[in-house]
């Protein structure tokens, strides 16, 4: 027999499983309790008041307290038959402790998993702290320990171990007890990481050693092999096991990956914080998953907006504990939510950073917009990663790739979609999913998607925050509904063409590199009320297949200095991801002759105009301003607009065409009605003509007849009355039955 085989025979066997190990720890605890009972001696006085144990104090109990040896309160019995039993139990305990230690070491060396040993490693627990966990865990495993603890503490209501009882079971001298108090302070590992907690209902005024301890439910589950996430943070986090990392990363991301590996090789103990900025679906979490997988670590993604409910500091430490338990990398998404509450942002950020320093050496902070955190992150290595929205060419490729992966055989032109909707890859994927569902509901129910389905999917995925600041308009008008001179119609078509071909000109042809601002399209629609400005905007939205939001500038402008800019900023911030047409109506409330500055209010009005122009130039969609007063437009203002469309008051021919187009096919007109004569005699705008036609239709409905001349003249009179314009009575006697002379 070789020496190696001899060593193998005498080496202690490793534990087969975790429960076998815990059973040995409980056997050891039973021996400690037996020894404590012997040290305390017979505590049951022969008294008729025995039933009130713990509620009544006896004189026989008081004097022994005064005579006890405070230097060594854990003295063994020195007389009686208990001495031999005490010595026997002590020897048995020492042998068992040696066996447990050796078998535990052998189990760890074999690579077998023991949760308590893992806890000791990741939380840097001393042997005393580990024993504290065993003492507090025991009642969670067997009810007998509640009775034993109550007996040892001389009170049937004290079923949880007090700190004093824990120290009495595990320590031998008063000096050891005093030194061990530090393990129960709030900043100690047992409580900082929420492994133990003070039992509910304890009186905060009690001395520390009189307080009772309870085991955290999540930790009970963990020590028994459970993998469930703590219920208090379960709704806020998602856990991802390591995957096969991406083989190639974009240059900026690959540079960060190399910096992280260099940080590890250098043994740098600083935290590494990666601040990822980008819109939803831009790949922030994908990058975090790739980097975590590259390191061979799981990833925990926590939604900050869901962590803010309740006690943030408590919740954030529960999160940190979960990160340590899973040896994971931490990624915090929606980080903007923490910074939004300015009153609490600083204190919450400090608590978050304290947790991250203790629990996660690598952390991702994911937000929609950059936030300068370098001053607050001075104790960590911090890098910024901006994940922009892909350009139109890249978006076109993403559309083609995802549609092909979906199994669709449709031959579609994705260039217009890529140009009109500034989507990230994640948004494109979501829009495609919506389009596929719409295709299933549309006859012939073959599931084949069309461009209309994709446009509807894109509109559904566009940011809806704008709906709280503007009114969404459902466009119903088409080119056939509007009456304008041909050159104006051509201008409107050119606006559509610019939206459709924007990606080709800016990306493919390189004009985007020449422009820092003005990559979007802005236009001014000027003209009297009712001349078709709103209708033209609806036609553009209908033609382009994108949403239309109407913002009333009269409600945005404020008499208080600075408020107008704040209101405009909120609108454009919400519109950033809306992929919509912004239609600013009632622009007269803001426009004025910039040269006519008579007082400080006029000067400040010019500042507001400049701010609006700045935000329009930064906006990369289509923004349209409407004004009734062309004379109020400053040349320096119109020079900064891509299009200026002047809507004229309709002439006789235009009015006649409007009268013809205004009637739905279902409406019956009296054959004797002469629409051209109405157009010649009454100089009304298109909006006024619409009102007259609608009013005449209601009058005809009351009479249950076709729309007659009488109905029309009555409606015209009401419209003039509403406008406050004089109407010659002779005009109402107009013989509209006759043909108008050439």
């Amino acid at each position: 027999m070789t020496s190696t085989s001899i060593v193998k025979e005498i080496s202690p066997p490793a534990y087969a499983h975790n429960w076998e190990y815990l059973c040995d720890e409980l056997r050891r605890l039973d021996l400690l309790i037996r020894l404590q009972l012997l040290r305390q001696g017979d505590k049951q006085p022969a008294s008729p008041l025995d039933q009130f144990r713990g509620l009544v104090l006896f004189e026989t109990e008081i004097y022994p307290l005064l005579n006890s040896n405070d230097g060594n309160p854990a003295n063994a019995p020195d007389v009686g038959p208990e001495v031999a039993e005490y010595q026997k139990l002590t020897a048995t305990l020492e042998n068992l402790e040696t066996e447990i230690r050796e078998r535990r070491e052998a189990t760890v060396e074999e690579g077998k998993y023991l949760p308590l040993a893992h806890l000791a490693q990741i939380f840097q627990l001393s042997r005393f702290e580990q024993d504290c966990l065993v003492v507090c865990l025991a009642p969670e495993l067997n009810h007998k320990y509640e009775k034993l603890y109550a007996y040892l503490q001389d009170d049937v209501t004290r079923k949880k171990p007090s700190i004093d009882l824990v120290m009495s079971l595990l320590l031998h001298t008063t000096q050891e007890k005093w030194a061990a108090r530090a393990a129960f302070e709030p900043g100690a590992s047992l409580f900082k990481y929420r492994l133990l907690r003070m039992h509910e209902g304890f009186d905060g005024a009690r001395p520390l050693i009189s307080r009772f301890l309870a085991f955290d439910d999540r930790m009970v589950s963990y020590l028994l092999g459970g993998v469930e996430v703590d219920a208090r943070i379960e709704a806020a986090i998602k856990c991802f096991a390591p995957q096969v990392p991406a083989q190639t990363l974009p240059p900026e991301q690959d540079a960060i990956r190399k910096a992280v590996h260099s940080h590890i090789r250098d043994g740098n103990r600083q935290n590494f914080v990666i601040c990822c900025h980008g819109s939803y679906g831009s790949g922030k979490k994908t990058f975090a998953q790739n980097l975590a997988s590259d390191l061979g670590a799981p990833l925990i993604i926590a939604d900050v907006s869901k962590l803010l409910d309740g006690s943030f500091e408590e919740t954030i430490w529960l999160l940190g504990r979960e990160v340590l338990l899973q040896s994971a990398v931490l990624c915090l998404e929606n980080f903007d939510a923490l910074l939004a509450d300015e009153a609490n942002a600083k204190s919450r950020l400090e608590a978050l950073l304290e947790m991250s320093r203790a629990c996660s050496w690598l952390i991702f902070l994911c937000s929609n917009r950059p936030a300068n955190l370098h001053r607050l992150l001075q104790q960590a290595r911090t890098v910024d990663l901006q994940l922009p929205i892909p350009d139109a060419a890249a978006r076109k490729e993403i559309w083609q790739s995802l549609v092909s992966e979906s199994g669709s055989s449709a031959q579609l032109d994705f260039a217009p979609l890529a140009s009109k909707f500034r989507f990230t890859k994640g948004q494109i994927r979501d829009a495609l999913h919506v389009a596929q569902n719409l295709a299933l509901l549309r006859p012939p129910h073959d599931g084949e998607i069309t461009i209309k389905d994709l446009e509807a999917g894109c509109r559904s995925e566009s940011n809806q925050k704008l709906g709280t600041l503007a009114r969404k308009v459902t466009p119903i008008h088409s080119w056939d509904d509007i009456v304008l001179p041909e050159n104006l119609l051509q201008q409107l078509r050119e606006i559509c063409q610019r939206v459709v071909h924007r990606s080709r000109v800016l990306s493919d042809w390189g004009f985007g590199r020449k422009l820092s601002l003005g990559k979007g399209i802005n236009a001014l629609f000027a003209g009297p009320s009712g001349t078709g400005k709103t209708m033209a905007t609806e036609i553009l939205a209908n033609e382009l297949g994108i949403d239309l939001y109407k913002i009333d500038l009269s409600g945005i402008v404020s008499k208080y200095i600075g408020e107008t800019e704040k209101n405009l900023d909120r609108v454009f911030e919400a519109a950033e991801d809306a992929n919509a047409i912004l239609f600013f109506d009632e622009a007269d409330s803001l426009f004025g002759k910039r040269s006519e500055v008579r007082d400080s209010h006029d000067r400040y009005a010019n500042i507001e105009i400049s701010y609006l122009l700045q935000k329009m130039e930064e906006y990369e969609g289509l923004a349209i301003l409407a004004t009734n007063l062309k004379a109020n437009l400053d040349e320096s203002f119109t020079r900064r607009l891509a299009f200026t469309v002047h809507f004229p008051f309709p002439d006789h021919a235009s009015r006649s065409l409007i009268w013809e187009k205004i009637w739905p096919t279902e409406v019956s007109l009296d054959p004797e009605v002469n629409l051209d004569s109405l157009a010649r005699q009454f100089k009304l705008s298109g909006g006024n003509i619409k009102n007259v036609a609608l009013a005449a239709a209601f009058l005809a409905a009351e009479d249950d007849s076709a729309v007659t001349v009488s109905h029309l003249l009555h409606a015209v009179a009401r419209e003039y009355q509403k406008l406050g314009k004089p109407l010659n009575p002779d005009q109402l006697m107009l013989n509209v039955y006759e043909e108008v002379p050439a």
Side-chain angles (χ1 to χ4, degrees), residues 11 25 53 103-104 126 130 209 246 347-348 376 400 410 466 503 609 622 626 656:
S11 296
E25 289 287 4
R53 176 183 293 278
R103 293 189 68 185
R104 178 166 142 167
S126 66
Q130 296 175 57
I209 62 173
S347 61
R348 287 174 170 174
L376 296 171
Q400 291 172 333
L466 190 58
S503 62
I609 296 170
L622 173 57
S656 181

Side-chain angles (χ1 to χ4, degrees), residues 128-402:
F128 171 72
E129 289 171 320
Q130 296 175 57
D131 290 343
C132 290
L133 293 179
V134 173
V135 173
C136 296
L137 175 65
E140 304 287 346
L141 305 180
N142 194 322
H143 286 304
K144 76 175 187 180
Y145 291 100
E146 290 186 339
K147 295 181 180 180
L148 290 171
Y149 292 163
Y151 182 83
L152 289 171
Q153 295 173 111
D154 201 19
D155 190 336
V156 294
T157 64
R158 299 179 180 181
K159 298 180 179 180
K160 298 292 183 183
S162 67
I163 293 176
D164 181 61
L165 176 60
V166 171
M167 292 194 295
S168 297
L169 288 171
L170 302 175
L171 304 174
H172 298 90
T173 67
T174 301
Q175 287 78 6
E176 288 177 337
K177 283 189 175 183
W178 290 350
R181 286 174 62 96
F184 303 100
E185 297 294 338
S189 296
L190 291 176
F191 293 91
K192 180 169 71 172
Y193 297 110
R194 279 56 178 175
L195 307 181
L196 295 179
R197 56 183 172 81
M198 296 297 177
H199 184 49
E200 295 178 3
F202 84 89
D203 184 357
R206 282 184 175 182
L208 180 67
I209 62 173
S210 298
R211 300 175 191 175
F212 298 96
L213 300 173
F215 218 99
D216 185 85
D217 289 344
R218 166 66 176 113
M219 300 314 300
V220 173
S221 173
Y222 180 82
L223 287 178
L224 296 179
V227 296
E228 298 82 4
V229 171
D230 194 305
R232 289 164 288 184
I233 59 173
E234 184 178 16
I237 71 173
K238 295 179 181 178
C239 304
F240 298 89
Q243 305 292 326
V244 177
Q247 297 299 315
T248 58
L249 294 173
E252 300 85 356
Q253 298 181 23
D254 192 55
I256 293 177
R257 181 187 66 81
K258 291 177 180 177
V260 169
H261 281 281
S262 176
H263 184 83
I264 297 172
R265 287 195 303 269
D266 295 343
N268 197 318
R269 295 188 178 182
Q270 281 184 306
N271 286 83
F272 202 107
V273 180
I274 303 174
C275 300
C276 301
H277 319 298
S279 302
Y280 162 78
S282 58
K284 302 184 292 291
K285 292 184 289 186
T286 300
F287 171 61
Q289 286 181 266
N290 274 322
L291 189 49
S293 296
D294 189 62
L295 298 171
L299 178 71
I300 291 181
I301 299 179
D303 187 340
V304 172
S305 62
K306 296 179 180 179
L307 296 175
L308 296 177
D309 299 333
S311 173
F312 179 76
E313 184 173 355
E314 175 69 15
T315 304
I316 207 70
W317 277 100
L318 293 177
L319 173 62
R321 184 184 70 183
E322 201 65 41
V323 169
L324 283 173
L325 290 176
Q326 299 192 31
S327 301
V329 170
L330 177 61
C331 174
L332 296 173
E333 65 173 334
N334 292 327
F335 194 70
D336 309 79
L338 186 144
L339 303 177
D341 185 358
E342 296 181 1
N344 299 311
K346 184 177 180 181
S347 61
R348 287 174 170 174
L349 184 58
E350 289 175 349
L352 175 62
L353 294 177
E354 181 184 356
M355 180 278 292
S356 66
R357 283 192 290 268
C359 302
S360 179
W361 71 270
L362 177 61
I363 184 171
F364 295 84
L365 305 180
C366 299
S367 59
N368 292 334
R369 294 171 183 81
N372 187 7
L373 301 175
H374 291 275
R375 181 178 59 84
L376 296 171
L377 297 171
Q378 291 179 356
Q379 298 182 11
R381 293 192 64 181
T382 309
V383 295
D384 289 294
L385 175 64
Q386 179 68 39
L387 294 164
I389 295 175
D391 60 23
R395 294 197 294 270
K396 180 181 176 181
E397 291 181 3
I398 294 171
W399 274 112
Q400 291 172 333
S401 174
L402 292 180

Side-chain angles (χ1 to χ4, degrees), residues 468-515:
T468 62
L469 300 169
R471 181 170 63 88
K472 186 176 181 179
V473 178
T474 302
I476 59 173
H477 295 292
S478 63
W479 294 110
D480 293 335
D481 296 322
I482 197 166
V483 177
L484 287 174
E486 184 58 35
N487 67 318
L488 296 186
L489 290 174
Q490 182 59 33
Q491 274 189 287
L492 296 178
R493 290 190 176 95
E494 288 173 7
I495 294 175
C496 288
Q497 292 166 5
R498 185 166 293 198
V499 174
V500 172
H501 299 299
R502 178 174 53 185
S503 62
R504 186 179 186 188
V505 173
L506 296 182
S507 299
D508 298 348
W509 291 2
F511 267 93
R513 299 192 302 272
K514 300 287 186 179
L515 303 174

